[in-house]
Amino acid sequence: MGERYDRERELAAFAEFVADADREPVVVVAGCGAGATVEALREYDVAAYGFDASRSILETAPPSTRERLLEADIRDEGLVASLREAFEIDEIDVFVTECMLSFLTVDEATAALGRLRETTGVGAVLHLIRIDPPVAAQEGDIDATILLPAEWRAACDPDGADIWRDAMERLDLPPSEPGDDGGT
């Protein structure tokens, strides 16, 4: 049997790869929910933080993670400034949208991601896309925008500046293993 795939380990290795060598890598997770990804990344020595628009879901986070989470919305024009102030960070090496773009319209996502790309100090932007509707959409409580990663990219990122992945598949980000320099 092979080794179990660890998405957070791969994300941590990627963050280390893109970060300045003289400091701990910084990852911000948009749509973090109760902070499971933030907590897992911390186990790999990543300065991980998250935000979510739902206060009630943030309140379910473990106390040790809660201080690294913020109630915020990706559509907020001053989002990155708020993150920097709340978490006392300057650089964001990897900004991850974690299965949350479906809560936005294509126009909202395009505007928010455009602002994010234009912000100095934000490095790689990674989008994890799920093509199944959120539970709230399945129950009819909200509308959802369900697109494949390639469709989101075409709509919101025609220049291909960001990284787009199906959240249910391997990330396949460089480096493939911690300590790998990514060059092959």
Side-chain angles (χ1 to χ4, degrees):
M1 293 190 104
E3 184 179 330
R4 182 184 157 279
Y5 174 65
D6 186 336
R7 182 181 77 158
E8 285 76 17
R9 185 180 87 185
E10 183 180 356
L11 182 53
F14 177 67
E16 185 177 334
F17 177 71
V18 299
D20 291 338
D22 61 340
R23 65 173 170 74
E24 186 177 48
V26 176
V27 174
V28 170
V29 180
C32 69
T37 300
V38 170
E39 192 171 341
L41 286 170
R42 291 180 62 211
E43 293 176 18
Y44 292 107
D45 298 322
V46 171
Y49 307 94
F51 69 93
D52 201 289
S54 172
R55 176 182 300 229
S56 61
I57 192 90
L58 289 168
E59 290 173 351
T60 67
S64 61
T65 303
R66 207 170 298 150
E67 67 192 25
R68 293 178 162 271
L69 307 179
L70 179 68
E71 181 183 356
D73 193 307
I74 197 166
R75 296 170 287 199
D76 295 342
E77 288 195 25
L79 173 66
V80 174
S82 296
L83 294 168
R84 286 179 173 148
E85 181 180 335
F87 303 129
E88 299 178 357
I89 55 175
D90 292 321
E91 302 289 321
I92 299 172
D93 299 304
V94 182
F95 188 102
V96 181
T97 63
E98 187 172 49
C99 307
M100 52 79 56
L101 290 181
S102 61
F103 291 100
L104 307 177
T105 66
V106 170
D107 289 341
E108 290 172 328
T110 300
L113 299 178
R115 277 192 302 276
L116 189 61
R117 278 184 221 103
E118 294 171 357
T119 303
T120 302
V122 176
V125 181
L126 168 64
H127 306 285
L128 302 178
I129 306 295
R130 287 195 59 159
I131 59 170
D132 55 330
V135 173
Q138 293 174 25
E139 295 174 353
D141 296 334
I142 64 165
D143 290 327
T145 307
I146 306 302
L147 300 172
L148 296 170
E151 294 169 322
W152 275 110
R153 182 193 166 281
C156 301
D157 182 23
D159 295 332
D162 300 347
I163 302 166
W164 298 84
R165 297 290 190 266
D166 183 321
M168 302 307 290
E169 296 178 5
R170 291 180 93 96
L171 297 178
D172 291 323
L173 301 170
S176 59
E177 293 294 328
D180 182 1
D181 68 0
T184 51

